Amino acid sequence: MGCAKLPPLSRNWLKVTEAARYMRTTEANVALLISRGDIPASMPVSEAMDPTGHVANSRCRLVHVDDLDAWLRSHPATPRVVA
């Protein structure tokens, strides 16, 4: 009897670079939103436990897709008027 094939795991946590692509913005903007506390971010356990790691480095942070979606819903894009 064979094992049932499992569906692929959904990726709920994104690195800052992936979050920037998801939000269609720059890494600097995502890092700014994280540093201001607008988007919650978590540090991977391997980075948080490392005493020599720099905690201030926001590239090590992980953000949850649901938090990104919530921020995007509360900040809809406004079109720019070009004269």
Side-chain angles (χ1 to χ4, degrees), residues 67-83:
D67 294 326
L68 296 176
D69 289 339
W71 190 89
L72 289 170
R73 277 193 301 274
S74 66
H75 295 82
T78 55
R80 292 187 203 177
V81 177
V82 179

Side-chain angles (χ1 to χ4, degrees), residues 23 25 28-40 68 71:
M23 296 177 71
T25 188
N29 284 340
V30 174
L32 178 65
L33 292 171
I34 291 170
S35 68
R36 290 189 342 199
D38 293 341
I39 295 176
L68 296 176
W71 190 89

Side-chain angles (χ1 to χ4, degrees), residues 10-27:
S10 62
R11 186 115 190 242
N12 293 327
W13 292 93
L14 301 175
K15 295 178 182 178
V16 171
T17 54
E18 297 166 330
R21 272 187 266 136
Y22 183 83
M23 296 177 71
R24 297 183 183 190
T25 188
T26 63
E27 292 178 40

